[in-house]
Amino acid sequence: MASKVRNLRNTQTKKSLINAFFSLASIKDFEKITIADITKGAQVNRSTFYAHFKDKYDLMEYLMGDFASTSIDNRTSGVVKFDEESINQLVLAVWDFYQQPNIECRSSYGDLVLPQLKEKILNELKVYLSKSLENMYSDNEKKMFVPIFAQIIHEGALQLTLGNLAMKKEEVAKKISLFVVGGYQSFEGG
């Protein structure tokens, strides 16, 4: 029972630190946010912050990884398959992922956050795709195709997010899923 209470308290403290960071991020440039600012907003002391995160960069990395895995889990309901519908949902998950960070677009976040966001979502896509292709491809084939499929899914969703495509997100997701699964099927037939 004591361990449940401790885990709940840790979870609530971490959420408090994250919420304080988001509040600050909407009004301050990242470089100007201090640990003292975050702990004051979360109403905890510095040692409590350091019990959860190494520094503010670690906090940011945690947030992005959490956003990435949550986006994919929400769209796939935790079901790992390689078919048109699953790929469709992965495209939409990437789109969701880029919508999630509730950090107002401040100049200092663009260069810092965008490369890390891309890395996090690509890693999560690769994990999902590796699992979904477990019994379909050899290890060497997976090493070749997983990064390619992840890039295709990511790039399509990113172009949609950036407003570069004059199509609805569902239409983009369907076209990408047909392309990815069609490519897989043509490989299997060859």
Side-chain angles (χ1 to χ4, degrees):
M1 182 71 163
S3 115
K4 274 188 176 181
V5 171
R6 189 174 26 249
N7 288 342
L8 180 60
R9 192 175 312 135
N10 279 338
T11 301
Q12 289 172 337
T13 301
K14 191 174 262 190
K15 283 182 184 178
S16 183
L17 290 165
I18 290 166
N19 290 338
F21 173 76
F22 277 134
S23 293
L24 289 163
S26 67
I27 57 173
K28 270 183 145 176
D29 286 339
F30 181 79
E31 295 83 16
K32 294 182 180 174
I33 295 175
T34 65
I35 302 305
D37 293 335
I38 297 169
T39 57
K40 182 178 178 184
Q43 298 179 336
V44 298
N45 61 38
R46 282 179 85 79
S47 63
T48 301
F49 177 90
Y50 290 115
H52 294 278
F53 303 104
K54 291 186 290 187
D55 53 28
K56 66 183 181 180
Y57 298 95
D58 187 38
L59 169 59
M60 179 74 88
E61 188 157 323
Y62 171 81
L63 290 171
M64 287 184 272
D66 190 46
F67 287 158
S69 60
T70 299
S71 295
I72 290 174
D73 287 346
N74 288 344
R75 284 289 183 167
T76 63
S77 303
V79 176
V80 179
K81 293 191 307 187
F82 189 86
D83 59 13
E84 281 181 36
E85 182 55 28
S86 297
I87 301 302
N88 191 333
Q89 292 305 312
L90 288 177
V91 173
L92 295 173
V94 175
W95 185 83
D96 291 347
F97 171 72
Y98 281 115
Q99 307 306 307
Q100 276 186 359
N102 294 323
I103 298 172
E104 286 184 12
C105 244
R106 303 187 60 81
S107 60
S108 69
Y109 293 100
D111 292 338
L112 172 73
V113 175
L114 291 178
Q116 288 183 343
L117 285 172
K118 180 179 179 180
E119 180 185 340
K120 290 295 180 187
I121 195 66
L122 279 171
N123 285 341
E124 290 297 323
L125 285 170
K126 289 174 187 174
V127 167
Y128 181 95
L129 290 165
S130 289
K131 288 178 186 174
S132 72
L133 295 169
E134 193 64 40
N135 297 317
M136 297 177 167
Y137 284 147
S138 69
D139 286 343
N140 279 335
E141 290 168 335
K142 282 194 313 186
K143 284 179 187 174
M144 179 173 49
F145 288 118
V146 164
I148 292 169
F149 291 158
Q151 286 289 344
I152 292 169
I153 292 164
H154 177 267
E155 189 60 30
L158 183 61
Q159 292 304 313
L160 181 65
T161 301
L162 296 173
N164 295 339
L165 304 174
M167 293 185 269
K168 293 181 179 179
K169 65 182 179 184
E170 293 79 9
E171 186 180 351
V172 171
K174 182 166 180 62
K175 287 182 182 288
I176 291 170
S177 66
L178 287 169
F179 182 78
V180 169
V181 173
Y184 160 74
Q185 290 170 348
S186 69
F187 178 74
E188 286 297 299

